[in-house]
Amino acid sequence: MAALIAENFRFLSLFFKSKDVMIFNGLVALGTVGSEELFSVVAFNCPCSPARNYIYGLAAIGVPALALFLIGVIWNNHTWNLVAECHKRGTKNFSAAATFLLFGSIMGRAAVAPVTWSVISLLRGEAYICALSEFVRPSSLDKFPAENGAEVLATFPCKDVPANLTKFRDEVTRRLRYESQLFGWLLIGIVAVLVFLTKCLKHCCSPLSYRQEAYWAQYRSNEDAPEVRSRILAAKNVKQFFGFVALDKEEKELVQEFPVEGVQPSPQWNAITGVYIYRENKGFPLYSRLHKWAKGVEGNGPSPEGHEMLFLAS
């Protein structure tokens, strides 16, 4: 029974590890939804004033979306791999297709949170109603008092409206909420179609089979040894300085089983740092810069015996 439970846990661990990008995007979307709900309850407060409504409504949708997009770019490892690549080697080895692929990957992942924010904002409709209420044509409202104009319409998102204008406020609010939610659902549909087409195009143009691509993703996730090695090296240095180090059972076993001697020089770190697009050398795949370094393959571009394939690691 214990073996069966352990096997199931191992299967779940491998499954979630192989789906880390999908799970991360889902968590980003859920976090964005929660943030938008909190913002609407705590921070959103339409000024209900001509000219200010439009600016405030657009800012309520656009500024958080822009901030989330920039955070997404910052959190993406490909961004800093690109910076390291440009700093150490330049972009002379990048073709136009490879550059487009790289930027598409960075922008696509960074767009998850801002798109989610925009969709939720449009489905709620508050920011849209605030921004466009003053632009509703009075003539489109049946029996709307002629003496009232944009100044009165701008106050409709607020509750303090004269009693004789309540029904017009409800009509304007209902109309604008309909438009806002329609745009929100259209945005969801457009994004879903783009994601579907992108996934299809990726697998159709991939030089790897589905199983080899899954193996590559698993290989790259298993390359995260620097964290373990740094813990062992730090424990060794602390023990040498203080004479002892407090470790749990697992860490003690790691220190005893894998003694660390010395550190890698900067040229070796530079060799395994940067953007990596799938390459083969003499027919054999090179799954990462670390793999390429371990095999002793020199240079950044494809060798005469090998070739580069436009496929970026997830």
Side-chain angles (χ1 to χ4, degrees), residues 274-296:
V275 176
Y276 186 77
I277 294 176
Y278 179 80
R279 292 180 174 90
E280 290 185 357
N281 182 261
K282 298 179 180 179
F284 292 95
L286 299 172
Y287 289 122
S288 67
R289 285 194 171 277
L290 180 59
H291 190 192
K292 182 179 177 182
W293 175 85
K295 290 296 184 181

Side-chain angles (χ1 to χ4, degrees), residues 236-251:
K236 177 183 175 182
N237 292 338
V238 170
K239 183 177 181 179
Q240 183 176 352
F241 185 82
F242 290 105
F244 74 96
V245 60
L247 299 173
D248 57 30
K249 183 179 179 180
E250 181 182 354
E251 290 173 335

Side-chain angles (χ1 to χ4, degrees), residues 24 28 49-50 54 79 119 142 151 164 177 221 259 278 282-283:
F24 177 76
V28 168
S49 172
Y54 184 70
T79 302
V119 166
D142 186 32
E151 294 79 6
N164 64 318
R177 180 168 282 113
S221 67
Y278 179 80
K282 298 179 180 179

Side-chain angles (χ1 to χ4, degrees), residues 118-126 177 180-182 184-185 188:
S118 301
V119 166
I120 299 301
S121 297
L122 289 172
L123 291 179
R124 288 182 61 88
E126 294 179 352
R177 180 168 282 113
S180 179
Q181 292 183 348
L182 177 63
W185 290 119
I188 290 176

Side-chain angles (χ1 to χ4, degrees), residues 9-24:
F9 273 114
R10 191 178 299 109
F11 170 76
L12 290 175
S13 175
L14 290 173
F15 174 79
F16 285 116
K17 198 171 186 180
S18 65
K19 305 294 183 182
D20 55 346
V21 174
M22 180 179 66
I23 294 173
F24 177 76

Side-chain angles (χ1 to χ4, degrees), residues 141-197:
L141 301 173
D142 186 32
K143 298 181 181 180
F144 186 75
E147 64 274 10
N148 297 321
E151 294 79 6
V152 174
L153 290 170
T155 64
F156 279 9
C158 301
K159 301 297 182 182
D160 50 348
V161 177
N164 64 318
L165 298 178
T166 301
K167 67 175 184 178
F168 297 110
R169 183 196 66 187
D170 295 341
E171 172 64 23
V172 169
T173 301
R174 184 164 50 250
R175 184 185 303 178
L176 292 178
R177 180 168 282 113
Y178 154 77
E179 294 177 1
S180 179
Q181 292 183 348
L182 177 63
F183 289 141
W185 290 119
L186 287 175
L187 181 57
I188 290 176
I190 292 172
V191 170
V193 170
L194 288 177
V195 170
F196 173 74
L197 293 177

